[in-house]
Amino acid sequence: MVLTRDFKETVKERAARDPTFAKAMLDEAATAFLNGEPHVARLILRDLVNASVGFEALAAETNRPSKSLHRMLSEKGNPSMDNLAAIFGAVRKCLGVAIEAHAVEAA
């Protein structure tokens, strides 16, 4: 399913104005990544970066070029674990939250 610009703008605007929604997006991205869905995690992170820290500030925070970050978080991106850790860390810092992972019984 192709997302329209209107949907992306809606998500971006909501995440920018609603800290609880932004935190839920970060939680969803981390959960998707840890559950073997890195492509989903990248796309959620991309929308969250656009709505919160922004790619230029993310570049400054992570010491990586903005264009490289855009590519990493694209649909076909392939960020390294170090780059993902840096991205998650910068977004986490921007939102003022910590991330905890908990294993639960599979359904």
Side-chain angles (χ1 to χ4, degrees):
M1 179 173 138
V2 177
L3 299 179
T4 65
R5 183 175 177 350
D6 292 334
F7 178 79
K8 287 182 181 185
E9 285 300 313
T10 300
V11 169
K12 179 180 174 182
E13 289 171 7
R14 171 120 188 246
R17 76 171 186 277
D18 185 352
T20 302
F21 184 73
K23 291 172 189 173
M25 286 180 70
L26 180 61
D27 183 65
E28 192 62 31
T31 300
F33 177 72
L34 292 172
N35 283 319
E37 297 180 284
H39 58 285
V40 173
R42 284 192 308 271
L43 297 177
I44 294 170
L45 275 175
R46 180 184 64 201
D47 290 341
L48 185 54
V49 166
N50 276 319
S52 59
V53 66
F55 275 94
E56 293 304 318
L58 181 63
E61 181 75 24
T62 61
N63 295 316
R64 287 150 179 91
S66 176
K67 267 190 158 177
S68 293
L69 292 167
H70 275 282
R71 279 192 300 272
M72 286 179 213
L73 296 180
S74 71
E75 191 166 341
K76 295 187 182 207
N78 191 19
S80 69
M81 289 293 286
D82 290 344
N83 287 329
L84 270 178
I87 293 166
F88 270 109
V91 173
R92 181 189 57 74
K93 181 179 173 183
C94 176
L95 297 178
V97 298
I99 296 176
E100 292 182 4
H102 300 278
V104 296
E105 293 293 324

